[in-house]
Amino acid sequence: MIYVAACAKLLTKLLGRADRWTWFGFAVILALAVSQGRLVFDSAIRLNSGPLDPDLSILKMPSNEILAEKLRGTNVLCVGCTKGIGRGIVDALNSLQSASTISIVGRSKIDHISEFKSFAFDLSTYQGCRALSAALKEDGTKYDLIFFTVGVWPDFDNPLTKDGIERVVAIDLLARHLVLRDLSQNDLLRDETIVLNTLASTQYFPFLSKLLVQRRLIHTKQPSFITALAPVAIAADAYLPAAALHFPKISAIAGIFPGLVVTDLPRSTFPDWTIPIIKAIMTPFSISPITSGRAHLAIAASEYIRKKPVSYWNHLLEGRRAHTLAYDPSLIEFVWDFLTNTSTALELNHSASAVQSSSKLPVRESRGGGVEGETEEFL
């Protein structure tokens, strides 16, 4: 911030001495920067990415006809897809009119679109994830293609979920694991299912270590903005090889960097008055949700994704290597053990809470017709 302030002060001094031609030149440079924002951003992404994976390829965006044919008859589950990047995937799918079933999971239902199956659950809690799993089991659809885009930025005013887990870890990592685990256990995965896990794959975050990632997962203290996201993204990439090993019906699982898409994610981190400013800054460098969605579909439909059980891609359709930590066997094992142990602890805690709640008498009927009782406490 000090550096930015110093640059702003220097720029102000320079412009204060400038004549009209200097102002005109500055305006031209600014206009070029805005108009070429996408090119600048994509170049920066490539510079900050892992090397191209020699076993994969740089894909070409297929036509709608080819994409529709490759995805024809598939059952698709989109977790976290009522808006933003996930909604872009759904809209891209819907435009193709080729999927047999499209099921959408979000915090609210989309009742006005009859072509979709819509499920509304809060995936920030263990109870919400298990409720979704129960609803999917009752529905009975077996899925060929699964997209995980559910995610959140840190909330420094309310950093923990009801289960006592830091929100980014709970939603970006644990919720995805719980849903995928239950889909496997409930036999809701077809043979050779494809899973795309959208977060920040292929990005080389600096100054990260295995110890920092491990501490980020197990400590519930409030992280800084810098340490809130990147270690969880590395852990998510390290989770994919373990998931491919433990869920045999998954033929390929891929980590995806979705590009820069203007969404409401910053609202949980920054004051409301800053959101229009943040969105305005992001807009010249961003792609539309449906453009990102089409990139997801192109990767999912490609034969290259099936060449490796685990792969990593970006929105430019480039198959790249992930951060080196994502391939560390000890970190892969640590992330898997953390998720399974946390899931077990939450299950035991909820079982104990249910027994305790059922033994409490009397139970009073609330005015809303529900049951009024004490608030549950979780881990």
Side-chain angles (χ1 to χ4, degrees), residues 7-256:
C7 290
K9 187 174 182 180
L10 177 61
L11 182 63
T12 301
K13 285 186 176 181
L14 290 174
L15 294 178
R17 300 172 183 172
D19 58 19
R20 60 181 180 177
W21 293 108
T22 304
W23 278 104
F24 176 75
F26 177 74
V28 170
I29 292 172
L30 182 61
L32 287 172
V34 170
S35 64
Q36 299 301 316
R38 280 275 309 281
L39 180 61
V40 172
F41 179 79
D42 290 346
S43 299
I45 287 300
R46 287 191 173 101
L47 287 173
N48 194 52
S49 295
L52 290 170
D53 191 325
D55 297 327
L56 301 175
S57 176
I58 300 176
L59 306 177
K60 291 184 178 180
M61 179 62 70
S63 66
N64 283 348
E65 292 75 17
I66 293 175
L67 205 53
E69 185 59 33
K70 288 187 174 183
L71 296 174
R72 193 169 305 283
T74 55
N75 292 335
V76 184
L77 174 65
C78 301
V79 182
C81 293
T82 52
K83 53 186 173 180
I85 295 166
R87 185 55 187 268
I89 295 173
V90 171
D91 289 342
L93 270 170
N94 193 44
S95 68
L96 298 176
Q97 295 292 310
S98 61
S100 178
T101 301
I102 302 175
S103 298
I104 304 173
V105 180
R107 291 182 66 93
S108 58
K109 283 190 175 183
I110 304 179
D111 292 325
H112 61 281
I113 304 180
S114 59
E115 292 84 358
F116 302 155
K117 293 182 179 180
S118 186
F119 300 88
F121 293 94
D122 178 8
L123 299 185
S124 68
T125 66
Y126 174 84
Q127 192 172 10
C129 292
R130 296 309 306 273
L132 168 62
S133 297
L136 292 174
K137 183 178 181 180
E138 182 179 0
D139 179 68
T141 302
K142 294 189 176 186
Y143 293 100
D144 306 279
L145 181 57
I146 301 171
F147 295 97
F148 284 104
T149 65
V150 60
V152 69
W153 280 16
D155 184 344
F156 298 115
D157 294 328
N158 188 22
L160 303 183
T161 67
K162 293 179 181 179
D163 295 331
I165 300 172
E166 197 278 322
R167 287 187 179 278
V168 177
V169 174
I171 298 175
D172 289 18
L173 194 59
L174 180 60
R176 301 180 188 211
H177 166 68
L178 288 171
V179 174
L180 192 56
R181 181 202 67 179
D182 288 351
L183 286 169
S184 178
Q185 291 180 352
N186 293 332
D187 194 26
L188 296 180
L189 302 178
R190 281 186 175 174
D191 294 336
E192 301 187 351
T193 295
I194 303 292
V195 178
L196 271 67
N197 195 55
T198 300
L199 210 56
S201 296
T202 74
Q203 294 303 292
Y204 262 47
F205 301 104
F207 313 119
L208 286 183
S209 66
K210 179 173 68 175
L211 183 60
L212 193 151
V213 175
Q214 291 171 334
R215 286 178 174 174
R216 175 67 179 89
L217 298 186
I218 62 178
H219 291 170
T220 57
K221 67 178 183 179
Q222 180 171 299
S224 66
F225 181 75
I226 295 175
T227 61
L229 298 174
V232 178
I234 298 297
D237 281 348
Y239 167 73
L240 302 189
L245 179 65
H246 287 87
F247 305 133
K249 284 195 173 183
I250 295 177
S251 66
I253 185 167
I256 308 293

Side-chain angles (χ1 to χ4, degrees), residues 354-366 369-374:
V355 171
Q356 186 180 13
S357 297
S358 64
S359 64
K360 289 180 180 179
L361 292 175
V363 176
R364 295 176 296 154
E365 186 177 349
S366 68
V371 174
E372 186 177 273
E374 295 187 4

